[in-house]
Amino acid sequence: MQLLERAEQLEQLQSLLIEAAVGNGHVAVLVGEAGAGKSAIVNIFTDLVGKTTRVLRGACENFGTAEPLGPLRDLAREAGWALSETLSYTESLIALFSEVFRLLSEEAPTSLIVIEDIHWADDSTLNLIRYLGRRIRDAHILILLTARDDHVGLQSRLRKALGDIPATSQRRIDVPALSRAAVGELAELRGLDGDEIFRVTGGNAYFITELLEAGGWMVMPRTVRDAVLARAEGLTAPDRDVLAAASIFPDAIDFKSLDAICGDGAEKSLQACLDCGLMRRVDGTYSFRHEITRQVIEQSLSPLRRRGLNAAALAASRHAEHVPWVRLIHHANEAQDIAAICELAPQAAAEAARLGAHREAIKHYELALTHASAFDEKQRADQYERHAFECHLVGQVERAIVSQKKALAIHHRLGAPLREGESLRWLSRLSYLAGNREDSDAYGKEAVDLLEAQPEGAELAMAYSNLSQLSMLAGDAETACLYGERAIGLAQSEAIGRPDILCHALNNVGTAVLWRDPDQARDLLGRSLEIALAHQLEEHAARSFTNRGWIELRLHSVADAEDFLGRGISYCIEHDLDTWRDYMRGEQAELLTYLGRWDEAEQAASLVVGNVNAPPLSRYPNVLALAVLWTRRGEPAEALLEELSRFLETGRELQRLAPYAELIAERAWLGLEDIGRALSLLDQAIALSRDDAAVSLLLVWKRKLGADVSLDSAFGVDPVVRQMLAGDWAAAAETWSERGSPYWQAMTLLDGDDDAVYHALDLLEGMGASAVAQHVRAIIRGRLGRVAARGPRASTKANPAGLTMREMDVLRWVDLGKSNGEIAALLFVSAKTVDHHVSSILAKLNAKTRTAAASHARSRGLLS
């Protein structure tokens, strides 16, 4: 069929390939509904550039569960890479991805990598794309993906994968439906009614093709299904049998497999399917011309026939070479062969987990566990535990707890104390991740009590380390060190020799001694991270990055905090560790808020807060950071505060309660909360602390709320806090400035003279702290009776209309006709923040409407 209205997409791809040729690589995504013609564009483009560019193609197949790294296997076969052995035995996905990037970069001047139907990709393939996309900027590579835009769940996963690739390195290219005029032009060539075809198809290129190819219909087909089946009805019964057999294979099928199912005559019938255009041959294999066609034929089969064909396909596939696990599982499930499912699904799950495809591993385990009664009790407990572990890796903590409890019940029933103790310890960890501190403590203690009655082993060492971790998180350094040192001793013993437990325990003790010996804390956490990276202990490495970033934040070492959090988030992205990545984004948001980079902080926190599936533990620091920002900006934060309060109901520990108490105190200072409640929360947090340095800002907020705070009670606090409490506001403000915290510099200046207070007001307005600035104006009125006129900041003086740099950013988007919601998304801020900016712009330009504001700005030369 003639390709119409696709010149723009082809030009964009050609432009991106030219950029790749000069070392500016991109990831391009062709996006459109099923049947929009994405593959047709890819085929035309690859034909155009294939003589001057190396083209490698792969695809994701529509199995119930995706094949881990299936597209990479396709690329390797086309390129002749010897990756099959590496894929089978790799222990490091990063090493594998690095080798792929090297091969793509070094083997050809320019490479075009095509991966179709990325919406069906497995986790490990998305991680590969993410890895390449983060390094493609200076490479001679163009990665071209195709994706559907008509499935919310699939699109959400795709957005998450692409969200970690720099915006400058990716391009979305939409493939819209064909216009009425284009459909008319195609129909005219066949002597058909273009208006009627457009009305039925809505411009869907695939449906249009089906109608045009089957143009001899007596009655116009009203659906894609009708059009496909009309073409199939022109085949003989044996031909339709081959078509039916082929339809149960979501991926390409070889003739040998088809012949094994259909028997004599299959070759002749297959040729008939090719001749009528329903199927095609590529590189010795056969597939349907479009996935929609395959699905229509498959869904037209009766359940009994479909089951029989899949049983035959499973038998044939078991004797074939290099058949992917997902095909075997697919046929076993469709054939309802329970014995095959229970045999194959756990093996497929283990393979998927090894390759980092954790969501696919979960699906395989869940398929096996739908037939749990087919396993003996030990096997069933093992499957539940493996399922729980995979669920926890991708943040599905509540589901992990359900499976782990089932495993625990089996271990108890079988009288297996070591397995029962290990299960209790693991439930303690999962409960903590779910935000339930009370259950976490109970399970942790029960695990130690049970295991101490058994011979010392790795299970007891890890149970000790778990209690050490819980004590550390509660701010109890003495108990954390007690259990941590026991765990370290056992882990290092010749009989146990477990680097993973040693790594875990070093992390606990290092974080626990933060306030007592910062140098020792850094040393122990450094050793923990080294062990984790050397032994490829991914979750332990993520935890080491997290805790090191946290202690650097507490110590105001912002450069080190930024380094460890940046490296840690990148590590988690590449290893698909969503829970730890999201937690560190909360710490990153806290750091950016501290530095006055509030728009960036809001962007980081919103990525997690907007994900309702993120576990409570990961959400907490992000919700907290956003609540702080919105409070200071004067935006409603009640829903965020309610979530924080619910989290604290199941257990209060210092590191969670202290920042919440500070937030409530700040809101009370602004007149948004009851002062008595705020002081009570501050006292509760102070009572939890065993180190004076940990309560520094709690004391500052007590003083700001009018409570008496003596210097004697703050002997071991942060030196800058002692300066603040001693009334040395000038020195304290200078210290906060040197530390890079403009907000706390401003809060300290409020204790100074009139010039200091006005300086604080300038700082607060510059950060967009509208609510705080308004409160400061009230303080000035109370002190001076009025707020004196002050000159604008330097950046505002440079603007003829007095617009700030951020207001100019907003104005440019207003001029382009963007709504406030669209501007918020483009600038990574809330819509409420954009509302404030637009209101300010209208006032400064003396305009009543957005259109008038843009017009005034143009007439004054503010917009070119």
Side-chain angles (χ1 to χ4, degrees), residues 628-676:
V628 169
L629 287 170
W630 287 5
T631 291
R632 293 174 182 176
R633 285 173 162 168
E635 300 178 25
E638 285 71 21
L640 300 176
L641 292 165
E642 184 180 346
E643 181 173 346
L644 295 172
S645 180
R646 286 198 306 270
F647 184 92
L648 291 170
E649 286 174 1
T650 56
R652 296 189 172 192
E653 53 191 26
L654 181 63
Q655 66 164 316
R656 315 281 176 229
L657 181 59
Y660 176 76
E662 291 169 13
L663 170 59
I664 297 302
E666 184 168 4
R667 290 177 62 83
W669 179 69
L670 293 170
L672 302 173
E673 299 279 351
D674 178 71
I675 290 179

Side-chain angles (χ1 to χ4, degrees), residues 124-136:
S124 47
T125 294
L126 293 178
N127 286 339
L128 171 62
I129 292 169
R130 207 152 41 183
Y131 180 93
L132 297 175
R134 288 165 64 85
R135 292 158 178 80
I136 205 169

Side-chain angles (χ1 to χ4, degrees), residues 589-645:
E590 179 188 351
L591 171 63
L592 293 167
T593 301
Y594 176 93
L595 294 171
R597 293 155 56 182
W598 287 6
D599 289 343
E600 294 176 65
E602 185 173 38
Q603 176 190 359
S606 296
L607 286 171
V608 182
V609 176
N611 177 15
V612 295
N613 295 318
L617 182 69
S618 297
R619 288 181 60 83
Y620 190 86
N622 291 279
V623 172
L624 181 68
L626 213 53
V628 169
L629 287 170
W630 287 5
T631 291
R632 293 174 182 176
R633 285 173 162 168
E635 300 178 25
E638 285 71 21
L640 300 176
L641 292 165
E642 184 180 346
E643 181 173 346
L644 295 172
S645 180

Side-chain angles (χ1 to χ4, degrees), residues 206 210 228 231-232 235 238-249 251-255 258 262 266-282 285-291 293-294 297:
Y206 171 78
E210 289 302 313
V228 171
R231 294 179 70 180
L235 296 170
D239 298 343
R240 289 198 300 272
D241 287 342
V242 169
L243 194 68
S247 74
I248 66 168
F249 289 83
D251 57 345
I253 180 175
D254 60 279
F255 176 74
L258 203 57
C262 300
E267 186 171 8
K268 180 180 177 182
S269 292
L270 181 59
Q271 187 59 50
C273 296
L274 295 172
D275 291 341
C276 78
L278 287 171
M279 293 188 69
R280 63 182 178 178
R281 178 176 179 172
V282 179
T285 62
Y286 301 88
S287 62
F288 282 81
R289 190 172 57 81
H290 197 285
E291 172 64 10
T293 309
R294 186 196 70 79
I297 300 298

Side-chain angles (χ1 to χ4, degrees), residues 551-617:
I551 73 164
E552 298 301 348
L553 263 171
R554 306 281 83 75
L555 295 171
H556 306 285
S557 302
V558 294
D560 286 336
E562 194 161 19
D563 173 57
F564 279 101
L565 292 177
R567 287 165 54 199
I569 289 171
S570 296
Y571 182 89
C572 290
I573 287 170
E574 291 167 357
H575 291 82
D576 200 29
L577 299 168
D578 293 1
T579 299
W580 292 106
R581 176 205 62 195
D582 289 348
Y583 192 94
M584 274 188 276
R585 279 179 172 157
E587 292 184 346
Q588 189 178 57
E590 179 188 351
L591 171 63
L592 293 167
T593 301
Y594 176 93
L595 294 171
R597 293 155 56 182
W598 287 6
D599 289 343
E600 294 176 65
E602 185 173 38
Q603 176 190 359
S606 296
L607 286 171
V608 182
V609 176
N611 177 15
V612 295
N613 295 318
L617 182 69

